[in-house]
Amino acid sequence: MQPTIRIAIQKSGRLSDDSLELIRECDISFNRGQSKLKSQAFNFPIELLFLRDDDIPRYVADKVADLGIVGENVLAEEKTPVDVVAKLGFSKCRISIALPKTTPYQGIDDLSGLNIATSYPNILSEFLQRSGISASIHEISGSVEIAPSIGLAEAVCDIVSSGSTLISNGLREVEHIFNSEAVLIANQALSKAKQKVVDELVFRIRAVLKAKNYQYILLNAPNDAIDQVIELLPGMKSPSVLPLADEGWSSVHSVVHKEQFWEIIEGLKAVGAQGILVVPIEKMIV
Ligand code: ATP
Ligand code: ZN
């Protein structure tokens, strides 16, 4: 029998919805009652534990959970010994240093001697050391962005996603010091049997994440344009070409990367492709 693995997920916050959606996209079903701390999946040997994000690395390192989903920012700050198994592509943000917009800034040397408020003292101190800057770090746990306006600090170092919170507090981002996204972490000493279940889950996660970048495309083209169409559509191996009932025409099926999509469509139209259909891909195993 397969052992049940435990995965720690943020109870409620910016990581929660995307973490749960990823598990569901892996075709793992579970019920999540209000205020429940745990939930057992019906069709995969996994139990979900709902925790505060800051506690997740520690719980994984201590084997209370085998896996966890957490931001790289929390991992880098806490330096807990866990393995990063996969980058998950959501909850993207950065950690930046910002100054009141009236403070002149020419370059990094202008940070020397400042008092910088942050919830990320380790990430900030590493950056300052790396850059040879001596400044004081004032650790606070929340609402960092108001520190300059209440006279608590002359600069801040905080999480930024769009930058609108900084702007609305009269601050200007001057140094971008760390990039973060959600990652899947694992305990470093999993049993062989648990590792097998983890590998199965990671296989599903990779198939789901890969599919998010691609679309399936079907189109009709005159036979004399097929070579050009194939050149535009490399596909996973090469496109499938099927004859249409209508003589002289074929149907072509392939996958395209979302980033190249519109450029490819323009090319396809130019060589005479018609009836182009594009559909999302749920899983992709290559
Ligand atoms: P908890 O109650 O679980 O401790 P929290 O308030 O510390 O939650 P959230 O604000 O929900 O945490 O953020 C969780 C993670 O989401 C962050 O650690 C970071 O990795 C990511 N994130 C993405 N964008 C942002 C943002 N604009 N502000 C804060 N975190 C962000
Ligand atoms: Zn937190």
Side-chain angles (χ1 to χ4, degrees), residues 1-284:
M1 228 199 45
Q2 283 181 306
T4 296
I5 55 168
R6 267 186 169 176
I7 183 165
I9 282 174
Q10 189 188 24
K11 188 166 193 283
S12 100
R14 289 187 162 96
L15 293 159
S16 312
D17 289 349
D18 287 334
S19 302
L20 292 177
E21 187 177 317
L22 179 62
I23 307 269
R24 289 204 173 95
E25 284 172 330
C26 290
D27 300 318
I28 297 174
S29 336
F30 53 91
N31 269 338
R32 196 190 169 191
Q34 281 302 311
S35 82
K36 256 177 87 176
L37 282 177
K38 297 196 280 187
S39 178
Q40 171 78 46
F42 309 128
N43 54 357
F44 194 85
I46 193 165
E47 184 177 46
L48 284 70
L49 268 193
F50 300 106
L51 300 170
R52 285 202 52 193
D53 70 335
D54 317 68
D55 297 333
I56 290 176
R58 188 75 265 154
Y59 276 66
V60 171
D62 291 347
K63 268 200 167 170
V64 176
D66 304 297
L67 295 175
I69 296 180
V70 73
E72 287 173 300
N73 53 318
V74 170
L75 266 193
E77 185 59 31
E78 316 276 327
K79 297 224 179 329
T80 324
V82 292
D83 286 340
V84 174
V85 182
K87 291 202 175 215
L88 302 176
F90 57 82
S91 295
K92 287 193 175 171
C93 56
R94 56 192 186 271
I95 294 180
S96 289
I97 298 177
L99 293 173
K101 59 175 189 278
T102 47
T103 308
Y105 188 78
Q106 249 87 55
I108 198 161
D109 289 337
D110 290 348
L111 298 175
S112 275
L114 295 188
N115 190 7
I116 310 175
T118 189
S119 318
Y120 294 93
N122 290 330
I123 292 177
L124 175 58
S125 123
E126 268 170 30
F127 169 78
L128 293 173
Q129 247 175 38
R130 230 178 24 242
S131 318
I133 302 290
S134 148
S136 345
I137 299 177
H138 187 108
E139 185 178 351
I140 52 178
S141 61
S143 304
V144 171
E145 65 284 353
I146 63 165
S149 62
I150 59 172
L152 194 63
E154 296 141 67
V156 302
C157 170
D158 202 7
I159 279 213
V160 185
S161 50
S162 70
S164 58
T165 310
L166 291 181
I167 293 168
S168 62
N169 283 282
L171 298 169
R172 176 167 59 113
E173 200 173 343
V174 294
E175 295 291 337
H176 169 173
I177 70 170
F178 189 83
N179 273 325
S180 178
E181 67 183 83
V183 286
L184 180 72
I185 55 170
N187 179 276
Q188 291 182 325
L190 291 175
S191 68
K192 264 201 172 140
K194 280 194 171 178
Q195 186 63 49
K196 236 180 129 206
V197 183
V198 168
D199 290 347
E200 212 175 300
L201 176 69
V202 171
F203 180 80
R204 291 193 191 191
I205 289 177
R206 290 197 199 287
V208 168
L209 295 180
K210 178 120 191 138
K212 286 188 196 289
N213 294 324
Y214 289 88
Q215 285 169 310
Y216 194 78
I217 180 164
L218 305 92
L219 58 90
N220 297 329
N223 287 344
D224 57 12
I226 290 295
D227 287 347
Q228 289 160 290
V229 169
I230 290 175
E231 209 158 294
L232 287 162
L233 289 176
M236 290 222 278
K237 249 199 169 70
S238 69
S240 315
V241 181
L242 311 162
L244 286 188
D246 204 355
E247 187 116 0
W249 283 77
S250 295
S251 163
V252 182
H253 300 197
S254 192
V255 293
V256 288
H257 198 283
K258 282 186 181 165
E259 273 174 18
Q260 295 154 355
F261 180 74
W262 289 109
E263 199 185 315
I264 289 177
I265 295 289
E266 283 307 314
L268 291 172
K269 281 191 332 204
V271 301
Q274 294 180 6
I276 303 174
L277 297 179
V278 179
V279 289
I281 302 175
E282 209 177 271
K283 316 267 185 323
M284 206 163 150

